[in-house]
Amino acid sequence: MSIVVKNMVLGPVMTNTYIVYDDKVKEAVIIDPADSADEIKLKVTELGVVPAAIILTHGHFDHIGAVEDLRNHYNIKVYAHEDEKAVLNSDANVASMIGKRISIEADEYLKDMQTISIGGIKYQVIHTPGHTIGSCCFYVQEEKILFSGDTMFCQSYGRTDFPTGSHSALMNSIKGRLLKLADDVKVYPGHNEETKIGFERQLYDFN
């Protein structure tokens, strides 16, 4: 497998949107299409890939802004964790922060530790409540890659003061789940730069 991860920084709060694919298969997953659907379409064309699915780490407005446009354009499914339904389709997605109202439904709601295979890549769901109740990470075990959404950033983590957030739950998710992964697992977060589990471990030794 030759996995490719392309990052686009989009939307009002500079969200990382990832286009992920096996270079031999060319069927892509779009992770957290934040905004600017037309820019994402142009990048897809430039890369020469065919979108096969959208997967969401959580339902906040800054991670779902381009979902409907892309879902309809490519006729693809949207996946999210089963506990995130109430965030995706309610004011809990805090779109009011930018004066909008956004409501979406996933086509398929996933369970903790469920694995989905798309474009020849296996994504394992790791439920990590805290930033939101249904926040999750997607782990590509074969490649030691984690898409962490807003659960883990480089030397930081997501806010917990939004609806359904919980600081204690987030710490439990990070310490009890993500830090169980190997030090060399590469982390692609929802905002800011990439990191590795081993590097992040330093921060939580003192919390």
Side-chain angles (χ1 to χ4, degrees), residues 62-134:
D62 58 315
H63 291 252
I64 65 172
V67 165
E68 290 296 0
D69 191 328
L70 296 174
R71 168 163 48 191
N72 294 333
H73 183 77
Y74 294 113
N75 191 26
I76 54 178
K77 284 187 176 182
V78 176
Y79 297 84
H81 188 270
E82 60 184 352
D83 289 351
E84 196 68 351
K85 185 172 184 176
V87 176
L88 286 166
N89 60 21
S90 76
D91 291 341
N93 64 34
V94 293
S96 59
M97 291 180 67
I98 56 169
K100 291 185 178 181
R101 190 174 192 285
I102 302 173
S103 178
I104 71 167
E105 290 277 358
D107 297 289
E108 188 170 333
Y109 289 98
L110 305 171
K111 297 182 180 297
D112 182 39
M113 302 308 290
Q114 183 175 344
T115 297
I116 54 174
S117 182
I118 304 169
I121 301 172
K122 293 179 180 178
Y123 301 85
Q124 184 181 55
V125 180
I126 303 177
H127 183 211
T128 53
H131 182 60
T132 63
I133 195 169

Side-chain angles (χ1 to χ4, degrees), residues 174-198:
I174 292 171
K175 294 179 180 180
R177 308 217 67 184
L178 299 190
L179 295 185
K180 301 288 188 183
L181 301 175
D183 284 353
D184 59 346
V185 170
K186 189 170 186 178
V187 180
Y188 291 91
H191 301 273
N192 305 322
E193 66 269 27
E194 301 152 16
T195 186
K196 288 192 174 181
I197 291 292

Side-chain angles (χ1 to χ4, degrees), residues 5-17:
V5 179
K6 294 293 183 181
N7 181 24
M8 302 180 71
V9 181
L10 301 170
V13 290
M14 308 293 282
T15 303
N16 291 327
T17 291

